[in-house]
């Protein structure tokens, strides 16, 4: 009975059903105020906004006033009067929700007004975008609106100097990419003087493309590394691995995530390396190098997983189809890929600190966000962030025509059909946007279109710098645009394009923009994001997805897929059975990603907690006299002797430098220890132990040692270090901080077994459901 009740409660309290009716009623009050505010001059409008800062509370009266002021500020600054639905979005953001608004409905302005609303309440706001370009564009675009409302705004990017960063974070509203803001948090963590820190206490974060950031990238670690020796790459190993043949010398699992040497392959490699025994402890480093080289050779594909540009390997973000700036694999694999491509190895180093995107977001008191596809992950947003979704209706009804999938037996037949559809549609002048799943597919399709005398523009990870201009013209008459993943492109597609907007009606008569998908993505949300590029603001449009039983996703997640009926002469399949297999493969892929997210967070949640505890201690060492107090307690006579012959301020600085050095060093060691435990934890599963429980049993006692060890190491250092006017001369004792640091994002850990375990769990659940045995 309790189970039934719980299911009923979940149904009645669905996360995606935030009641927006009370704010709809508030719109009447906004409209009433609008007539009065129109009569104010600019200075009076700014003054009216300033009066809201002095309000004792921020209730519905103040919310209506802010919305009316924001509407008028946007009209004056941008010549855009926000629609009622945009103001509804603003109100729901100010309520701390994730707002779902369709593409082209004006999320950027709704978000800016919400950020201004938080700032007027005296709360600093970070607006997180998916890349530097959008952060700068939106900050500058919305700048005049903020100015009229008396709110300061700035942005940070990769090229920002420390002084510019400090000024930007001092503004009421700061725009920045998720990674850049996260990296600033990590860099601040290394500061030994409070004045060197650029950030301030986090309060409100408003996340653009919220589902992409909060769900798809939540498990991605942002890493701060310090210089060490150059990457130890073995060109000889890479050369040997290039000669290995699949099936004979190595095998791959069906999911394409692991590769291993066969007995024959191992003997061949050992002989080529001079007769070594790879599996002896003496040659464990060589075995690790061989495994990394094999993974790079057998499982990572150029122009799918990475591209080579300017003599460097650049990873491709699979969820965005862009170059993943400063992302890399763990050093061993990164070096192996560079060796595979015969490139000079990049510098390597040790991890000084790391924080996951989810851990970064959890630092804020208030989290809200906006996207076009939130309801599909509403349960996850509640599970991981305790966030609810508010679905905002479009300003005008969507009239886009979404066709049923067109299914084929082989990839070749599918691509022939795609090219034929594009050629026929293009002949009439109707603009077409084609969404592909990777760079290789986009370039292959572009070549096929050229052979069919159809000229196209290709937007992929190789030319993402021009993406805004390319996307903006995708709705022009006769345009054919091929794009690798449209999520987060952030540029509106207007019918007729920007060069000849008078062509709007001509394109509309042809049916508007046609969106074609070359295959199902790993998430139905990504399919919907692609479809959503067409039919903005009530414009006509259409979409159709092509798929085949030989698509990678179907082969990987529905390996038993077979056609229900025989294909026609063109290879097309038109039966419910085939469609079910394609749908099933996508659902399994979604389930696997969710399981990986859950499993990753089970581990990182403990690490984030330990990080928070240690950094609170570090901050106290940094900003108070705690360091000298603790060193005095553990060194006794040595401290007394120092107080007799040195200035108190100098001694306090020296104590702080010593304690911070050893704290940072000990945290680095702890992260390395946890990484080793995490990589080997799957062996505990083989012993019938619960991996996460074993991880906790190992990690918690190790963390409890840290404080005492910091004090012990600091005491030993104080006994012998020379103290000068600048503080403790740590370098003379060989205690050097990294001469250089850099940041990057670990795109994926290919040696982790999360994906395999997640796939097995999802398949087990599906079998139980099908067999009627689910409990």
């Amino acid at each position: 009975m309790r189970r039934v009740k719980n299911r009923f409660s979940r149904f009645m309290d669905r996360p995606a059903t935030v009641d927006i009716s009370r704010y709809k009623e508030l719109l009447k009050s906004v409209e009433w105020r609008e007539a009065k505010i129109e009569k104010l001059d600019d200075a009076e409008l700014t003054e009216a906004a300033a009066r809201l800062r002095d309000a004792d509370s921020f209730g519905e009266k103040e919310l209506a006033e802010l919305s009316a002021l924001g509407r008028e500020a946007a009209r004056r600054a941008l010549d855009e009067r926000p629609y009622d639905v945009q103001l509804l979005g603003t109100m729901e953001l100010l309520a701390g929700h994730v707002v779902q608004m369709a593409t082209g409905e004006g999320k950027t302005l709704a978000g800016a007004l919400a950020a201004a609303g938080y700032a007027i309440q005296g709360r600093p706001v970070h607006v997180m975008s998916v890349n530097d370009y959008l952060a700068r564009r939106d900050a500058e675009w919305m700048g005049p609106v903020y100015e009229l409302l008396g709110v300061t705004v700035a942005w940070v990017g990769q090229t920002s100097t420390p002084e510019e960063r400090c000024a930007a974070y001092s503004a009421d509203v700061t725009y920045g990419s998720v990674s850049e803001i996260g990296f600033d948090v990590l860099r601040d963590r290394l500061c030994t003087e409070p004045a060197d820190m650029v950030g301030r206490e986090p309060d409100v974060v408003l996340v653009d493309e919220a589902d992409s950031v909060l769900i798809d990238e939540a498990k991605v670690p942002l890493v701060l590394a310090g210089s060490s020796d150059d990457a130890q790459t073995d060109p000889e190993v890479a050369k040997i691995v290039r000669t290995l043949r699949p099936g004979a010398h190595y095998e791959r699992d069906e999911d394409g995530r692991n590769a291993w040497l066969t007995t024959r392959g191992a003997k061949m490699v050992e002989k080529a390396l001079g007769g070594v025994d790879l599996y002896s402890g003496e040659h464990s480093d060589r075995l690790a190098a061989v495994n990394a080289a094999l993974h790079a050779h057998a499982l990572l594909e150029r122009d799918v997983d990475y591209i080579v540009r300017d003599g460097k390997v650049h990873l491709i973000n699979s969820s965005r189809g862009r170059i993943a700036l400063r992302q890399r694999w763990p050093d061993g694999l990164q070096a192996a890929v560079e060796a595979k491509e015969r490139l000079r190895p990049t510098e390597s180093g040790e991890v000084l600190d790391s924080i996951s995107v989810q851990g970064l977001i959890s630092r804020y008191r208030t989290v809200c966000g906006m996207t076009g596809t939130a309801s599909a992950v509403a349960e996850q947003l509640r599970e991981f962030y305790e966030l609810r979704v508010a679905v905002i209706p479009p300003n005008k009804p969507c009239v886009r025509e979404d066709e049923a999938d067109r299914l084929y037996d082989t990839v070749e037949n599918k691509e022939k059909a795609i090219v034929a559809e594009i050629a026929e549609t293009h002949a009439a002048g109707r603009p077409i946007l084609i969404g592909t799943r990777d760079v290789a597919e986009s370039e292959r399709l572009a070549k096929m279109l050229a052979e069919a005398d159809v000229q196209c523009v290709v937007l992929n990870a190789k030319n993402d710098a021009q993406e805004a201009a390319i996307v903006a013209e995708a709705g022009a008459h006769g345009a054919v645009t091929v794009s690798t993943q449209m999520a987060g492109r952030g540029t509106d597609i207007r019918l007729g394009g920007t060069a000849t907007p008078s062509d709007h009606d001509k394109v509309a008569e042809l049916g508007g923009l046609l969106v074609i998908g070359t295959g199902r993505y790993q998430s139905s949300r990504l399919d919907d994001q692609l479809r959503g590029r067409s039919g903005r603001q009530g414009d006509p449009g259409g979409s159709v997805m092509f798929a085949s039983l030989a698509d990678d996703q179907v082969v990987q997640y529905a390996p038993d897929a077979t056609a229900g009926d025989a294909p026609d002469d063109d290879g097309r399949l038109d039966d419910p059975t085939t469609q079910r297999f394609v749908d099933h493969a996508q659902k399994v892929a979604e389930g696997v990603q969710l399981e990986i997210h859950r499993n990753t967070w089970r581990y990182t949640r403990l690490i984030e907690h330990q990080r928070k505890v240690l950094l609170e201690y570090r901050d106290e060492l940094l900003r108070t006299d705690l360091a000298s107090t603790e060193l005095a307690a553990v060194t006794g006579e040595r401290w007394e002797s120092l107080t007799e012959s040195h200035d108190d301020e100098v001694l306090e600085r020296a104590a702080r430098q010593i304690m911070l050095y050893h704290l940072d060093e000990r945290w680095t060691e702890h992260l390395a220890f946890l990484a080793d435990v995490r990589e080997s934890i799957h062996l505990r599963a083989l012993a019938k132990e619960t991996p996460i429980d074993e991880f906790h049993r190992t990690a918690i006692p190790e963390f409890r040692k840290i404080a005492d060890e910091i004090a012990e190491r600091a005491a030993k250092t104080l006994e012998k270090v020379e103290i000068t006017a600048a503080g403790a001369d740590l370098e003379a004792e060989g205690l050097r901080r990294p001469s250089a640091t850099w940041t990057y994002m670990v795109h994926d850990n290919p040696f982790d077994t999360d994906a395999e375990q997640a796939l097995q769990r999802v398949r087990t659940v599906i079998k139980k459901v099908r067999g009627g045995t689910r409990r």
Side-chain angles (χ1 to χ4, degrees):
M1 182 66 185
R2 179 180 297 174
R3 188 179 299 132
V4 173
K5 183 178 180 181
N6 287 341
R7 288 178 178 173
F8 180 74
S9 298
R10 287 174 65 84
F11 176 78
M12 295 303 293
D13 191 29
R14 287 175 297 176
T17 56
V18 169
D19 184 7
I20 64 173
S21 60
R22 69 185 182 113
Y23 289 135
K24 285 184 176 180
E25 290 297 316
L26 204 59
L27 289 172
K28 297 176 182 177
S29 182
V30 174
E31 191 173 348
W32 175 79
R33 283 173 163 81
E34 189 176 355
K36 295 173 61 178
I37 291 174
E38 283 179 349
K39 299 175 182 178
L40 303 177
D41 62 26
D42 288 357
E44 291 170 333
L45 191 152
T46 304
E47 185 180 339
R51 285 196 292 271
L52 286 175
R53 291 180 181 264
D54 300 325
D56 295 331
S57 62
F58 203 86
E60 290 193 353
K61 176 184 175 183
E62 290 76 19
L63 184 56
E65 181 74 4
L66 169 72
S67 299
L69 290 169
R71 172 174 271 174
E72 181 61 18
R75 188 186 66 79
R76 296 184 189 186
L78 307 176
D79 195 25
E80 293 182 14
R81 179 183 179 274
Y83 301 120
D84 283 356
V85 291
Q86 286 175 283
L87 295 184
L88 282 175
T90 295
M91 294 173 184
E92 291 293 350
L93 288 168
L94 285 166
H97 295 144
V98 172
V99 167
Q100 176 171 301
M101 296 175 67
T103 301
E105 291 292 311
K107 289 189 290 291
T108 303
L109 178 53
L113 297 182
Y118 280 116
I120 284 172
Q121 297 175 58
R123 306 183 64 184
V125 184
H126 290 169
V127 180
M128 287 189 180
S129 297
V130 293
N131 58 45
D132 284 356
Y133 163 75
L134 291 177
R136 178 173 184 172
R137 185 203 70 176
D138 291 352
E140 293 178 343
W141 181 17
M142 296 292 119
V145 178
Y146 284 116
E147 185 177 1
L148 278 173
L149 294 174
V151 174
T152 57
V153 63
W155 58 274
V156 292
Q158 294 179 64
T159 60
S160 300
T161 65
E163 294 75 20
E164 290 170 337
R165 293 174 190 276
C166 202
Y169 286 116
S170 297
D172 297 326
V173 178
T174 307
Y175 283 75
S177 68
V178 179
S179 57
E180 203 58 40
I181 291 175
F183 290 145
D184 279 335
V185 169
L186 293 177
R187 283 186 284 253
D188 273 358
R189 218 282 286 149
L190 276 190
C191 291
T192 57
E193 295 292 338
D196 295 334
M197 302 176 73
V198 300
R200 57 176 171 173
E201 196 68 21
D203 189 359
V204 178
V205 61
L206 193 160
V207 185
D208 195 9
E209 300 295 340
D211 56 339
S212 176
V213 172
L214 300 180
I215 302 301
D216 298 335
E217 298 192 1
K219 59 184 181 293
V220 175
L222 287 74
V223 177
L224 178 68
S227 58
S228 65
D229 296 331
D230 287 345
Q232 299 300 309
T233 312
D234 191 339
E236 183 184 8
V237 170
K239 184 177 180 181
I240 293 169
V241 168
R242 286 191 198 102
T243 66
L244 302 181
R245 298 194 310 275
H249 301 119
Y250 67 87
E251 294 180 356
R252 290 174 287 209
D253 62 14
E254 63 178 17
D255 301 319
R257 290 184 62 89
N258 285 291
W260 58 91
L261 293 173
T262 62
T263 301
R264 179 182 172 188
K267 289 181 179 178
M268 176 179 170
V269 173
E270 288 174 336
K271 182 179 180 181
L273 290 174
V276 302
D277 180 359
L278 281 177
Y279 299 95
S280 67
E282 178 186 358
H283 296 292
S284 59
D285 290 345
R286 273 288 177 92
L287 178 60
V290 170
N291 284 336
L294 180 61
H295 193 105
H297 172 75
L299 303 177
L300 297 177
E301 186 176 346
R302 184 169 174 168
D303 289 341
V304 175
D305 301 295
Y306 65 92
I307 66 170
V308 175
R309 177 194 287 175
D310 301 326
K312 295 182 180 179
V313 169
H314 299 272
L315 274 66
I316 295 174
N317 184 314
S318 59
S319 67
R320 294 183 189 152
R322 294 182 175 88
I323 289 178
L325 296 174
R326 293 163 307 175
Q327 286 192 15
R328 59 186 288 158
W329 290 290
D331 282 334
L333 182 58
Q334 184 78 17
V337 175
E338 290 162 349
K340 168 188 174 182
E341 297 294 343
R342 297 177 173 86
L343 300 174
R344 182 178 179 181
T346 54
E347 189 177 22
S348 68
E350 60 182 354
V351 173
L352 303 177
D353 200 3
S354 176
I355 189 171
S356 67
V357 172
Q358 185 162 350
L360 173 67
I361 296 296
S362 68
R363 300 172 69 248
Y364 293 87
R365 288 173 53 208
T366 298
V367 179
C368 60
M370 50 193 184
T371 179
T373 49
S375 58
V377 288
E379 288 281 1
Q380 296 176 52
L381 290 170
R382 169 173 279 188
E383 176 182 348
F384 295 116
Y385 302 96
E386 297 182 356
L387 288 172
R388 301 183 72 193
V389 174
V391 179
I392 307 298
N395 184 53
K396 295 180 180 178
C398 179
V399 295
R400 184 184 65 243
E401 296 182 3
D402 297 327
E403 292 185 40
D405 291 356
R406 298 188 193 177
L407 308 175
Y408 291 82
D409 55 352
T410 67
V411 172
E412 292 74 17
N413 284 331
K414 178 188 73 172
E415 291 184 343
K416 287 179 184 177
I418 291 172
V419 171
E421 175 68 20
I422 293 171
E424 182 180 348
T425 304
H426 175 65
R430 186 181 184 184
I432 309 165
L433 174 67
I434 304 103
T436 65
R437 292 162 297 172
D438 56 56
V439 175
E441 187 178 41
S442 69
E443 296 188 338
R444 185 171 66 249
L445 184 60
K447 183 179 179 181
M448 294 173 68
L449 288 172
E451 293 171 352
D453 293 326
V454 176
Q455 297 301 311
C456 68
V457 179
V458 180
L459 175 64
N460 59 34
K462 290 189 174 181
N463 62 353
D464 55 353
Q466 295 84 37
E467 70 171 49
I470 294 173
V471 173
E473 298 305 322
H477 184 267
V480 178
T481 308
V482 179
S483 170
T484 303
Q485 190 31 261
M486 281 300 300
R489 294 293 181 187
T491 302
D492 209 7
I493 300 178
R494 299 174 183 269
L495 297 190
T498 59
T500 53
S502 58
D503 280 352
H504 176 280
D505 293 344
K506 186 199 316 188
V507 172
E509 289 175 4
L510 292 171
L513 177 68
L514 174 63
V515 167
I516 294 176
T518 60
R520 290 283 197 90
Y521 290 107
Q522 278 200 328
S523 166
S524 59
R525 285 182 295 111
L526 298 180
D527 294 345
D528 292 340
Q529 287 170 5
L530 176 61
R531 287 190 179 97
R533 307 305 301 196
S534 176
R536 64 173 292 280
Q537 286 292 328
D539 282 339
S543 74
V544 59
M545 297 288 174
F546 287 73
S548 85
L549 289 178
D551 286 351
D552 290 343
Q553 182 161 286
V554 178
V555 171
Q556 181 174 358
Y557 294 117
D560 300 328
T562 55
D565 298 327
D568 64 15
D569 293 341
D570 296 322
R572 184 168 181 179
L573 299 163
D574 191 17
D575 61 274
T577 300
T578 304
Q579 184 68 61
R580 280 197 295 270
F581 276 119
V582 172
D583 294 341
H584 169 77
Q586 187 176 61
K587 285 184 172 63
V588 173
E590 291 174 332
V592 167
Q593 292 305 309
L594 175 56
E595 280 297 309
I596 291 174
H597 187 172
R598 283 181 177 142
N599 200 39
T600 302
W601 186 234
R602 290 184 188 110
Y603 290 96
T604 57
R605 185 163 48 189
L606 174 64
I607 300 173
E608 299 293 357
H609 173 72
Q610 292 182 343
R611 185 181 188 279
K612 180 182 178 182
V613 170
L614 197 70
L615 291 193
E616 287 174 351
Y617 175 48
R618 190 186 196 280
D619 198 55
E620 197 172 354
L621 290 174
L622 182 66
R623 299 177 185 277
T624 71
D625 62 355
L626 178 63
S628 55
T629 301
E630 295 209 346
L631 270 180
V634 295
T635 58
E637 293 181 5
R638 169 63 172 162
W639 184 262
E640 288 295 330
S641 66
L642 289 172
T643 58
E644 294 174 1
S645 58
H646 284 89
D647 179 80
D648 288 347
E649 186 176 332
V650 170
L651 194 55
E652 187 174 303
R653 182 185 306 118
R656 184 169 63 247
Q657 291 169 338
I658 293 169
M659 290 289 287
L660 290 177
Y661 175 86
H662 288 295
L663 182 149
D664 293 341
E665 179 186 54
R666 190 63 188 84
W667 178 243
T668 296
E669 293 170 358
H670 187 63
L671 287 177
F673 170 79
L674 294 180
D676 288 342
V677 173
R678 182 73 179 89
E679 287 181 7
S680 63
I681 204 72
H682 65 280
L683 297 176
R684 313 290 179 96
L686 298 177
K688 305 297 183 183
E689 299 169 343
T690 305
I692 186 63
D693 291 340
E694 287 302 305
F695 181 78
H696 282 199
R697 288 191 191 103
T698 307
I700 292 173
E702 186 70 17
F703 180 75
R704 287 173 177 163
K705 301 176 185 176
I706 291 180
D708 289 341
E709 291 182 3
I710 292 170
E712 290 171 9
R713 295 182 186 187
K716 290 179 181 178
T717 298
L718 187 67
E719 289 293 331
K720 55 185 179 179
V721 73
E722 180 183 357
I723 296 179
T724 68
D729 189 358
L730 296 176
E731 288 206 6
E733 297 300 322
L735 305 179
R736 297 183 180 87
R737 287 187 175 272
S739 58
T741 62
W742 64 95
T743 53
Y744 59 87
M745 298 173 74
V746 179
H747 182 254
D748 187 20
N749 185 347
F751 301 118
D752 202 344
T753 58
D754 281 354
E756 288 76 19
Q757 293 176 4
L759 180 58
Q760 186 59 43
R761 283 193 292 270
V762 171
R763 284 178 173 165
T764 299
V765 169
I766 289 172
K767 287 179 181 177
K768 287 183 177 179
V769 171
R770 286 178 171 173
T773 59
R774 188 177 184 183
R775 292 180 293 177

